[in-house]
């Protein structure tokens, strides 16, 4: 009888593992503060695609655009490239940064020193357990469920014995909440990015963004990028690049609360 129970338990475990070893799409709601000194928040619907042991986390809006493109759509569509991360089987993560006509890629090992706590709770219909981790300037609280046995989660986070369904940082600046799991979704190549990403170091990436801050409309002023400016009545007007630069720089300085807080760019 005991042997029979062991066999049944093993078969059940194998079936569960087989179900969740397949590809899946996991949806999250993400709420965050761009400006640490403001109470205003930004809300985004995010997607985590798990395919062949790898994963991709990015906005649902961009997933929809990519799906259109993959199905042959040639028209104009506006996407969203924020928080764009791909994690591979070698336990490395690539983060993508889109600026003007270029895409930059930083690839590094995913090193997360998780501390699993004894505390459990029911979340989104699943039995979950608490874990904590420090990552690049933020202290995070996470809740994972072994009922969905994939070692994945939002953004760069992974490596717990189950799916991360909820995360928040101690400062209350970032929060991820599970909303759905789908087995049927439009599958495509994970790194279907154009133009081809340029590999870059963190130090050089910061230099790129500082250069952009100092002269954000350089390409337009030189004529390399063509753009027309119109007033409210639709009449052509000459752009005031000095005023436009000032406004953009103010906006960039206020965006002082990146998810990787220790890597924040110090603008002049």
């Amino acid at each position: 009888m005991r042997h029979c129970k062991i066999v049944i338990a093993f078969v059940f475990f194998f079936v569960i593992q087989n179900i969740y070893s397949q590809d899946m799409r996991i949806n999250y709601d993400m709420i965050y503060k761009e400006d640490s000194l403001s109470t205003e928040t930004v809300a985004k619907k995010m997607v985590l695609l798990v395919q062949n042991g790898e994963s991709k986390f990015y906005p649902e809006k961009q997933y929809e655009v990519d799906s259109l493109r993959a199905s042959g759509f040639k028209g104009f569509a506006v996407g969203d490239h924020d928080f764009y991360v791909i994690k591979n089987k070698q336990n490395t993560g690539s983060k993508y940064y889109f600026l003007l006509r270029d895409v930059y890629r930083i690839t590094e090992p995913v090193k997360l020193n998780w501390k699993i706590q004894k505390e459990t709770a029911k979340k989104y219909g699943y039995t979950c357990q608490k874990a904590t981790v420090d990552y690049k300037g933020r202290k995070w609280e996470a809740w994972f469920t072994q009922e969905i046995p994939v070692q994945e989660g939002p953004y760069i986070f992974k490596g717990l014995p189950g799916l991360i369904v909820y995360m928040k940082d101690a400062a209350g600046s970032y929060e991820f909440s599970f909303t759905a799991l789908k087995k049927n979704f439009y599958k495509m190549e994970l790194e279907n990015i154009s133009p081809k990403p340029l590999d870059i170091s963190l130090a050089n990436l910061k230099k790129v963004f500082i250069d952009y801050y100092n002269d954000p409309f350089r390409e337009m002023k030189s004529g390399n990028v063509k753009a027309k400016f119109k007033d409210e009545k639709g009449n052509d007007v000459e752009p005031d690049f000095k005023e436009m630069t000032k406004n953009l720089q103010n906006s960039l300085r206020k965006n002082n609360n990146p998810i990787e807080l220790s890597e924040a760019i110090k603008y002049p």
Side-chain angles (χ1 to χ4, degrees):
M1 187 67 176
R2 176 180 171 81
H3 176 72
C4 181
K5 287 182 179 179
I6 292 174
V7 171
I8 292 173
F10 176 78
V11 170
F12 178 75
F13 177 79
F14 176 79
V15 170
I16 292 296
Q17 287 286 344
N18 186 55
I19 290 173
Y20 286 108
S21 65
Q22 300 174 24
D23 299 344
M24 66 184 74
R25 165 183 165 174
I26 300 146
N27 293 355
Y28 293 92
D29 281 340
M30 178 181 182
I31 299 175
Y32 65 100
K33 294 179 182 179
E34 292 181 321
D35 182 353
S36 62
L37 301 178
S38 173
T39 59
E40 292 185 9
T41 59
V42 179
K44 287 182 183 290
K45 293 189 178 298
M46 307 296 291
V47 170
L48 174 66
L49 303 180
V50 180
Q51 295 181 193
N52 301 318
E54 300 184 333
S55 69
K56 179 177 183 176
F57 182 78
Y58 66 148
E60 183 180 65
K61 187 175 182 179
Q62 187 60 43
Y63 169 77
E64 291 170 349
V65 170
D66 289 349
S67 299
L68 283 172
R69 297 269 186 245
S71 62
F73 177 74
K74 302 295 184 182
F76 178 75
V78 178
D80 183 349
H81 297 106
D82 286 345
F83 307 100
Y84 202 119
V85 174
I86 295 177
K87 292 168 277 187
N88 65 22
K89 296 176 183 177
Q90 286 71 46
N91 205 38
T92 62
S94 295
K95 301 162 192 172
Y96 298 80
Y97 302 86
F98 297 73
L99 183 64
L100 300 177
R101 294 177 294 177
D102 294 317
V103 183
Y104 300 95
R105 176 176 57 203
I106 290 181
T107 301
E108 58 189 8
V110 181
K111 296 180 179 179
L112 299 167
N113 185 24
W114 289 106
K115 294 179 175 59
I116 297 178
Q117 312 295 322
K118 294 181 179 180
E119 187 177 349
T120 61
K122 203 81 171 178
K123 291 183 180 292
Y124 316 108
Y126 299 103
T127 299
C128 299
Q129 191 168 354
K130 183 179 177 180
T132 58
V133 69
D134 292 349
Y135 181 72
K136 296 199 174 183
R138 295 191 187 275
K139 296 182 181 296
W140 291 90
E141 171 189 311
W143 290 84
F144 67 95
T145 177
Q146 296 188 55
E147 294 174 24
I148 307 177
V150 291
Q151 296 187 16
E152 274 291 350
Y155 192 57
I156 200 69
F157 301 107
K158 61 179 295 185
L160 287 168
L163 178 70
I164 298 170
V165 298
Y166 181 81
M167 284 196 77
K168 68 175 181 179
D169 76 308
S173 290
Y174 286 82
E175 180 181 53
F176 301 96
S177 304
F178 171 91
T179 59
L181 186 153
K182 301 180 180 181
K183 299 295 290 183
N184 296 316
F185 63 96
Y186 194 94
K187 299 174 186 177
M188 65 195 89
E189 181 183 353
L190 292 186
E191 195 182 76
N192 54 340
I193 300 172
S194 180
K196 184 178 179 180
L198 305 170
D199 287 306
I200 195 170
S201 68
L202 179 60
N204 285 336
L205 180 68
K206 288 184 176 182
K207 184 178 184 304
V208 166
F209 276 97
I210 289 291
D211 289 345
Y212 172 70
Y213 172 89
N214 288 330
D215 194 1
F217 302 102
R218 178 179 57 219
E219 294 293 306
M220 289 185 187
K221 290 186 289 186
S222 67
N224 290 334
V225 173
K226 303 295 182 182
K228 287 187 176 182
F229 296 85
K230 298 181 180 293
D231 61 18
E232 295 178 353
K233 296 181 180 179
N235 299 315
D236 290 340
V237 295
E238 285 297 318
D240 184 346
F241 285 116
K242 184 176 181 180
E243 183 65 21
M244 290 166 60
T245 296
K246 179 181 175 181
N247 292 336
L248 183 56
Q249 287 177 339
N250 286 338
S251 176
L252 289 172
R253 284 197 301 270
K254 286 183 179 180
N255 192 354
N256 61 4
N257 196 33
I259 190 168
E260 297 180 7
L261 190 58
S262 62
E263 313 298 352
I265 298 172
K266 307 298 182 184
Y267 291 111

